[in-house]
Amino acid sequence: MIDSGLRSHYREGKHVIYSENMSKMYGNKTVLDDIDLAVTSGEFITLVGPSGCGKSTLLRLLLGEETASSGTLLINGQEVQTPDPTRGIVYQRYGLFPHLTVLEHVLLGFRFQLSAYRYFLCRKELVEKAMQYLKRVRMDDHKDKYPSQLSGGQQQRVAIAQTLIMKPKVLMMDEPYGALDPFTREELQLFILELWEETKMTIFFITHDLEEAVYLGSGVIGLSQYYDDGRRNWKRGARIVTDLNLGREIKAPDVKATAEFGRTVRLLRTDCFTPNHLQHVNDFTMQHPDSFMSLSDEQKQR
């Protein structure tokens, strides 16, 4: 049962995403355990963690594709319901239809949203709007091409434009660059940072690449099942073990070569990905001003 009364750290008008003491179970297995998370409007949050820690589960909860087993989960101050246009999603696999052109893909959301008659009446205006978004993602010259005529990076830009035109309050991205070559990946990293700076939207970005997480994120969240919270004989699910504040300024690519960047990457690798590094909850790295933990007395004990 979700408890909507748990809002001790929630700030109305500030926090776009908020969860407190939220858990997710499948049968007797706990996947996510006491997730405490607050994301301020306009943040670019990157999420990392070892395979099987529940990153995709958390994303599905935020989208409303699944329901939390307990605790609080809010988007814009409201309990998360079924998926809606306020939460846009871009996946690693672009999901483009082979028979639709680039322009038709960007218009697709309106085809589903409007009646056939209303779409017909508004089509000229909608095409103009779609072209504005294609220009924003630098794909306006490819509007009549089909997915088979596009590179992986170009297909990802189309998927992003398709999501942005619906004006989501939160853009969620699930390892969107995982299948791209290094050159295209860096190009799209710069592109999404430019888009974030321009739109001021809130982005929640899952990646398995620690360097990508540190480079893109204004905040980096480390999710892990490797920790100690004092409970005995307890099959723990993953929880947030690291919450870093990296600032909102856009970073140049050469920051990746700095010593500080390398230290941050190593911190995440140690805290989140090392099975024998079972740090206690009292020692979690919680640097972000929005970070908090709701712990029982038992969990606080070493």
Side-chain angles (χ1 to χ4, degrees):
M1 175 71 70
I2 297 177
D3 183 357
S4 60
L6 292 172
R7 304 187 183 195
S8 59
H9 294 267
Y10 176 69
R11 298 295 178 267
E12 186 176 356
K14 177 183 180 183
H15 293 141
V16 176
I17 299 172
Y18 183 84
S19 71
E20 184 174 343
N21 204 29
M22 182 191 72
S23 298
K24 177 62 179 178
M25 299 181 67
Y26 295 106
N28 294 324
K29 181 180 180 181
T30 303
V31 177
L32 296 174
D33 203 349
D34 297 336
I35 300 298
D36 297 319
L37 173 65
V39 176
T40 295
S41 176
E43 288 267 20
F44 193 138
I45 297 298
T46 53
L47 176 69
V48 298
S51 297
C53 73
K55 297 189 297 297
S56 294
T57 298
L58 178 56
L59 188 71
R60 289 194 296 270
L61 291 169
L62 293 172
L63 284 171
E65 293 180 344
E66 296 193 30
T67 303
S69 302
S70 62
T72 290
L73 179 58
L74 309 174
I75 300 287
N76 295 306
Q78 302 297 317
E79 289 185 34
V80 175
Q81 304 293 332
T82 55
D84 63 51
T86 65
R87 287 157 284 161
I89 177 68
V90 177
Y91 294 103
Q92 179 177 339
R93 300 298 176 186
Y94 324 115
L96 302 185
F97 295 102
H99 64 289
L100 297 182
T101 66
V102 167
L103 178 59
E104 289 170 335
H105 273 99
V106 179
L107 290 169
L108 198 58
F110 297 113
R111 293 292 299 269
F112 291 137
Q113 189 180 67
L114 304 174
S115 67
Y117 180 67
R118 182 66 178 168
Y119 179 81
F120 174 77
L121 289 180
C122 300
R123 191 175 190 284
K124 181 179 179 181
E125 176 186 343
L126 294 175
V127 167
E128 291 176 355
K129 180 180 292 188
M131 289 304 300
Q132 292 173 6
Y133 278 85
L134 284 174
K135 186 174 183 180
R136 176 177 286 180
V137 300
R138 300 193 282 275
M139 286 296 293
D140 49 317
D141 291 338
H142 304 277
K143 65 182 181 66
D144 295 320
K145 290 184 178 180
Y146 292 90
S148 62
Q149 299 172 291
L150 304 175
S151 68
Q154 288 173 327
Q155 290 187 57
Q156 195 61 285
R157 289 174 187 264
V158 175
I160 293 172
Q162 186 180 38
T163 301
L164 289 181
I165 198 170
M166 304 310 294
K167 296 185 177 179
K169 293 184 181 298
V170 182
L171 175 61
M172 300 183 185
M173 309 182 80
D174 189 4
E175 299 194 14
Y177 305 153
L180 303 177
D181 63 83
F183 177 81
T184 304
R185 187 173 193 141
E186 185 169 276
E187 181 184 33
L188 285 184
Q189 286 174 352
L190 291 169
F191 163 72
I192 198 64
L193 285 173
E194 291 171 1
L195 202 61
W196 174 56
E197 186 175 43
E198 176 189 344
T199 62
K200 312 299 183 187
M201 71 166 49
T202 306
I203 299 179
F204 195 84
F205 188 108
I206 293 179
T207 178
H208 65 274
D209 187 312
L210 296 182
E211 287 194 354
E212 180 170 72
V214 176
Y215 176 59
L216 292 178
S218 63
V220 182
I221 291 171
L223 189 69
S224 182
Q225 62 271 55
Y226 307 133
Y227 65 91
D228 173 26
D229 64 358
R231 291 179 290 181
R232 299 292 180 260
N233 301 319
W234 184 266
K235 294 182 179 179
R236 286 180 289 269
R239 68 178 301 153
I240 295 172
V241 302
T242 307
D243 193 352
L244 305 179
N245 180 26
L246 300 183
R248 296 199 182 193
E249 68 277 1
I250 303 298
K251 312 174 189 77
D254 57 8
V255 73
K256 298 175 184 178
T258 64
E260 182 179 359
F261 188 93
R263 282 193 296 270
T264 304
V265 169
R266 288 192 295 274
L267 171 68
L268 287 168
R269 183 175 292 115
T270 300
D271 285 357
C272 304
F273 291 82
T274 308
N276 60 359
H277 183 71
L278 298 178
Q279 60 178 339
H280 192 270
V281 287
N282 294 331
D283 301 322
F284 286 173
T285 306
M286 295 290 163
Q287 295 179 351
H288 200 287
D290 285 331
S291 64
F292 69 99
M293 286 193 294
S294 51
L295 300 173
S296 66
D297 291 337
E298 181 185 8
Q299 290 173 312
K300 294 175 184 177
Q301 295 176 3
R302 293 184 181 273

